[in-house]
């Protein structure tokens, strides 16, 4: 599917190449017109007015005849205060609609492979308990972003970083041991900051059922190691299941412990030493990260010899680079916002490309039930598991509601609204609209009406009403908008596009008759129905939701 803005810009650039200087040529960029105008607008005359010392409208009138000659234009006009409006020709539009009809929805928005590998890391919650609902936003954002980037031709890997090393795991292990050791006739104190959730004694019971007799014969150190490994395994299994129920999958589950035990921290330390950017102070090893834009130098190895998160983060991203990724996109919650500057400094200290790391921060989600906010905390045990939410509201509803606003805005997720079967529920609205389109197609086929496999210029010429044209614009601008959403890393915009299309479809359905005696107009409007079906399916593919043919 063509990006029409890019297509028009290329054609306009070629047409005006002899009329614009090298400095002026990049200004010849079009944008989608406002309602009531033609399809696309060139603001080039407004930009040229200052340097050419001429009125914008005069410049527009001078350039308009040349713009009128581009292949995709059917009608052009120069309008005050200085714009050139372009209406796409019927034959060009017919070619685009025919192309959309001939492509499977799953690849309708897909560009050719570009040979570049991108890694998207998201969720990456500590394996110290089940995923809670707060993790759902990162799961939805990362999942949809990865699919969105695949439409751009990237080879995308979805990665979950398993933080299975360090103090959090020690607290987790000892919290389980507090409940498990009495089953062995032993005692183990609950650590001061131990995990208090109801899932902890459940894990203790599950581990005892699996390995009780084996644990009895072990020393405490061996028992704790076994508890840690089994506890992690059980939690990761529950995390995988919760994510799968939400339609989220990963290509790689990458272990922090593997990273450390296979020498990646040591490799990075050696590289830092070779570059002369580390020093020792207070029996610890420090990185001169202020040399690379950080606000302070960072400890890499503590005085007890244990690596810090800074060193492990450096090793992890160096490992990503060594695996051949041209870019790592990390999707983090708002509590990681202070990590961005240090992480960028780390990339520079490693000598990685300036654009290798991108960090997307998503803001907090406020969950409501009955109009009241729910306060969540994994350590106090006041949590709602993500799996519970998905089972309560449904996979598609969960994914849609987590995408209702941009990542940089706080989000309110009302569990009751998400369950409603009403047009106020955006997930339900998409399904309802698609089922309506399918119903129109079934009715047409049922009475033997023409269901055209391709579009003709005559079909396009018959689409004249505001509702016809508004729906047509929604269809034609799809690739432009999807490409923008991918470039700006805004997966929520795909939901906006799908909702906008659904709104245009329903406005069209309410005002215009598709099945009617005028067979030519019926055929033209059936084209809008069929292409809208495919585009809604394409958006749903990126969003990871399903659309029913009937409701």
């Amino acid at each position: 599917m063509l990006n029409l803005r890019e297509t028009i810009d290329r054609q306009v650039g070629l047409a005006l190449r002899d009329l614009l200087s090298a400095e002026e040529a990049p200004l010849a960029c079009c944008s989608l017109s406002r309602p009531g105008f033609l399809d696309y607008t060139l603001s080039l005359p407004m930009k040229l007015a200052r340097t050419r010392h001429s009125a914008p409208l005069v410049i527009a009138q001078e350039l308009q005849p040349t713009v009128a000659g581009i292949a995709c234009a059917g009608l052009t006009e120069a309008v005050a205060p200085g714009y050139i409006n372009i209406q796409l020709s019927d034959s060009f539009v017919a070619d685009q609609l025919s192309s959309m009809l001939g492509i499977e929805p799953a690849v309708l928005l897909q560009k050719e492979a570009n040979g570049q590998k991108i890694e998207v890391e998201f969720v990456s919650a500590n394996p110290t308990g089940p995923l809670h609902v707060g993790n759902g936003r990162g799961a939805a954002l990362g999942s949809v972003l990865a699919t969105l980037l695949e439409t751009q031709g990237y080879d995308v890997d979805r990665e979950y970083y398993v933080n299975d090393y360090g103090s959090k795991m020690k607290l987790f292990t000892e919290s389980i041991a507090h409940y498990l050791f009495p089953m062995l006739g032993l005692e183990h104190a609950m650590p001061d900051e131990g995990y208090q959730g109801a899932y902890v004694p459940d894990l203790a019971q599950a581990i005892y059922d699996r390995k009780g007799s084996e644990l009895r014969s072990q020393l405490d150190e061996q028992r704790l190691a076994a508890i840690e490994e089994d506890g992690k395994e059980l939690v990761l299994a529950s995390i995988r299941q919760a994510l799968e129920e939400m339609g989220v999958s990963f290509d790689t589950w990458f272990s922090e412990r593997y990273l450390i035990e296979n020498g990646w921290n040591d490799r990075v330390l050696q590289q830092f030493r070779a570059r002369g950017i580390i020093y020792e102070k207070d029996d610890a090893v420090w990185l001169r990260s202020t040399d690379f834009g950080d606000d302070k130098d960072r400890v890499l190895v503590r005085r007890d010899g244990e690596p810090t998160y800074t060193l492990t983060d450096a090793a992890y991203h160096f490992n990503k680079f060594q695996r051949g990724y041209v870019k790592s996109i990390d999707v983090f919650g708002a509590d990681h916002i202070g990590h961005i500057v240090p992480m960028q400094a780390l990339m520079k200290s490693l000598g990685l490309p300036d654009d290798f790391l991108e960090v997307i921060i998503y803001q907090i989600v406020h969950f409501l039930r009955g109009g009241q906010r729910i306060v969540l905390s994994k350590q106090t045990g006041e949590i709602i598991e993500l799996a519970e939410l998905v089972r309560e509201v449904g996979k598609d509803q969960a994914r849609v509601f987590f995408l209702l606003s941009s990542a940089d805005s706080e989000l309110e997720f009302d569990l009751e609204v998400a369950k409603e079967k009403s047009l106020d529920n955006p997930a339900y609205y998409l399904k309802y609209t698609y089922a309506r389109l399918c119903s129109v197609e079934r009715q047409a086929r049922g009475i033997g009406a023409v269901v055209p496999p391709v579009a003709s210029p005559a079909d396009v010429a018959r689409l004249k009403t505001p509702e016809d044209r508004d729906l047509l614009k929604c269809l034609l601008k799809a690739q432009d908008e999807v490409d923008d959403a991918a470039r700006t890393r805004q997966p929520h915009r795909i939901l906006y596009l799908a909702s906008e299309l659904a709104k245009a479809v329903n406005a069209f359905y309410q005002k215009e008759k598709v099945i009617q005696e005028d067979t030519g107009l019926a055929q033209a409007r059936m084209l809008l129905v069929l292409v809208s079906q495919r585009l809604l399916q394409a958006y749903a593919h990126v969003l990871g939701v399903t659309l029913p043919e009937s409701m």
Side-chain angles (χ1 to χ4, degrees):
M1 186 175 174
L2 285 179
N3 182 310
L4 297 192
R5 280 204 306 266
E6 292 178 358
T7 301
I8 295 169
D9 289 347
R10 281 196 300 271
Q11 293 187 10
V12 168
L14 285 172
L16 297 178
R17 64 184 181 278
D18 295 331
L19 302 178
L20 301 178
S21 68
E23 293 75 21
E24 293 171 338
L27 303 176
C29 300
C30 71
S31 59
L32 198 68
S33 293
R34 291 174 295 163
F37 292 84
L38 303 185
D39 297 326
Y40 285 86
T41 295
L42 271 176
S43 60
L44 175 64
M46 302 289 289
K47 300 172 184 175
L48 296 179
R50 179 176 296 180
T51 56
R52 292 196 173 189
H53 307 291
S54 182
L57 182 57
V58 172
I59 297 173
Q61 291 168 339
E62 291 172 350
L63 299 180
Q64 181 264 332
T66 304
V67 174
I70 66 175
C72 65
L75 173 67
T76 61
E77 58 182 11
V79 297
Y83 295 97
I84 300 174
N85 293 333
I86 302 169
Q87 181 169 301
L88 301 173
S89 71
D90 293 344
S91 60
F92 181 80
V93 172
D95 287 344
Q96 305 318 305
L97 295 178
S98 296
S99 175
M100 294 172 77
L101 283 172
I103 301 174
E104 287 298 312
V107 293
L108 179 60
L109 301 169
Q110 184 78 39
K111 293 185 173 182
E112 290 185 6
N114 59 27
Q116 293 185 307
K117 288 177 62 179
I118 286 182
E119 183 253 29
V120 180
E121 182 211 332
F122 58 107
V123 185
S124 297
N126 292 330
T128 54
L131 290 182
H132 64 75
V133 286
N135 300 122
R137 191 175 195 186
L141 286 168
S143 175
V144 176
L145 176 62
T147 308
L148 178 58
L149 290 170
E150 286 176 334
T151 71
Q152 304 299 294
Y154 292 106
D155 179 4
V156 181
D157 280 342
R158 298 152 176 83
E159 185 154 301
Y160 189 115
Y161 182 52
V162 181
N163 298 101
D164 55 354
Y165 187 91
S167 59
K168 294 281 188 184
M169 288 303 296
K170 186 172 186 293
L171 283 174
F172 171 66
T173 301
E174 293 187 350
S175 300
I176 297 174
H178 172 70
Y179 294 100
L180 194 153
F181 272 41
M183 301 176 194
L184 305 173
L186 304 169
E187 292 184 359
H188 194 94
M190 173 65 78
D192 291 340
E193 298 181 4
Y195 291 88
Q196 304 290 338
Y199 66 90
V200 180
D202 291 342
L203 286 172
Q205 185 65 57
I207 295 170
Y208 177 78
D209 292 343
R210 293 170 65 175
K211 289 189 172 179
S213 58
E214 182 179 334
L215 291 171
R216 289 182 188 279
S217 62
Q218 293 176 333
L219 299 175
D220 277 1
E221 185 176 337
Q222 294 173 312
R223 289 192 190 99
L224 290 173
I227 289 169
E228 177 179 335
E229 189 60 32
D230 274 43
K232 179 183 77 172
E233 180 184 324
L234 289 167
V235 169
L236 283 177
S238 77
I239 288 173
R240 283 191 178 93
Q241 181 177 344
L243 291 169
E244 287 170 2
E245 290 178 6
M246 192 177 157
V248 177
S249 61
F250 289 88
D251 302 294
T252 306
W253 293 74
F254 195 96
S255 163
E256 179 184 1
R257 181 171 293 278
Y258 166 86
L259 189 80
I260 294 170
E261 292 180 350
N262 283 269
W264 284 92
N265 280 3
D266 294 336
R267 293 186 206 184
V268 167
L269 276 175
Q270 289 172 6
Q271 183 172 335
F272 286 155
R273 284 197 177 93
R275 300 185 69 185
I277 56 175
I278 62 174
Y279 62 94
E280 293 190 9
K281 185 180 76 171
D282 301 330
D283 297 325
V285 179
W286 296 69
L287 173 69
R288 298 184 191 279
S289 48
T290 50
D291 291 353
F292 303 95
D294 203 349
D295 59 348
K296 62 182 180 181
D297 288 351
R298 303 283 171 172
V299 176
L300 297 176
V301 183
R302 298 186 184 93
R303 64 181 62 189
D304 62 2
E306 285 296 303
T308 62
Y309 286 123
T310 300
L311 176 56
T312 305
D313 283 341
Y316 178 41
H317 286 81
F318 183 67
N319 174 276
K320 292 182 186 184
F321 185 72
Q322 293 297 311
R323 283 187 271 156
Y325 298 114
V326 299
K327 187 178 292 296
S328 170
I329 301 177
D330 296 355
V331 181
F332 293 149
D335 57 334
H336 284 72
I337 194 166
H339 295 184
I340 296 177
V341 171
M343 287 294 293
Q344 294 291 3
L346 272 182
M347 300 306 104
K348 291 179 181 178
S349 69
L350 288 165
L352 302 185
D354 289 343
D355 63 349
F356 176 72
L357 175 65
E358 288 184 27
V359 179
I360 295 174
I361 297 291
Y362 61 90
Q363 295 300 317
I364 191 170
V365 184
H366 300 290
F367 292 90
L368 292 83
R369 189 186 294 281
Q372 299 297 314
R373 285 188 177 179
I374 305 166
V375 180
L376 308 173
S377 170
K378 187 183 287 189
Q379 282 190 253
T380 63
E382 297 297 321
I383 70 171
I384 299 176
E385 293 185 20
L386 179 61
E388 293 173 359
L389 176 139
V390 174
R391 291 164 194 160
E392 180 177 346
V393 306
K395 172 183 78 73
D396 294 343
Q397 288 79 355
R399 292 178 71 95
V400 165
F401 272 69
F402 279 123
L403 291 167
L404 285 178
S405 66
S406 62
D408 58 4
S409 300
E410 292 189 5
L411 174 67
E412 284 198 341
F413 189 128
D414 193 311
L415 302 176
E416 300 304 323
V417 174
K419 292 186 289 184
E420 289 180 1
K421 293 184 178 181
S422 76
L423 300 186
D424 293 329
N425 179 334
Y428 183 86
Y429 189 58
L430 295 182
K431 294 173 183 288
Y432 170 86
T433 302
Y434 183 74
R436 169 172 272 181
L437 290 168
C438 292
S439 175
V440 173
E441 182 187 357
R442 283 195 301 271
Q443 291 176 46
R445 293 187 184 278
I447 64 172
V450 175
V451 180
V454 294
S456 71
D459 292 324
V460 177
R462 293 186 178 100
L463 300 172
K464 298 176 180 178
T465 71
E467 287 73 22
D468 291 336
R469 301 303 299 186
D470 286 348
L471 180 51
L472 189 57
K473 277 189 176 183
C474 278
L475 301 176
L476 294 175
K477 74 173 185 175
Q479 192 71 58
D480 306 19
E481 298 292 339
V482 168
D483 292 352
D484 281 352
R487 178 179 52 80
T488 57
R489 314 295 193 238
Q490 293 183 309
H492 72 283
R493 287 178 60 182
I494 304 303
L495 176 59
Y496 287 5
L497 287 171
S499 300
E500 182 186 35
L501 176 57
K503 183 178 179 180
V505 164
N506 287 300
F508 161 81
Y509 181 88
Q510 294 292 342
K511 188 74 181 290
E512 310 299 345
K513 290 185 67 175
V514 177
I515 301 172
Q516 56 176 285
E517 293 181 0
D518 184 338
T519 55
L521 185 54
Q523 177 172 314
R525 286 184 173 154
M526 183 54 66
L527 282 167
L528 292 180
V529 168
L530 297 175
V531 177
S532 296
Q533 274 182 306
R534 276 174 162 71
L535 186 54
L536 266 183
Q537 283 182 294
Y539 287 146
H541 170 72
V542 178
L543 293 170
V545 302
T546 56
L547 300 176
E549 294 185 0
S550 62
M551 292 181 69

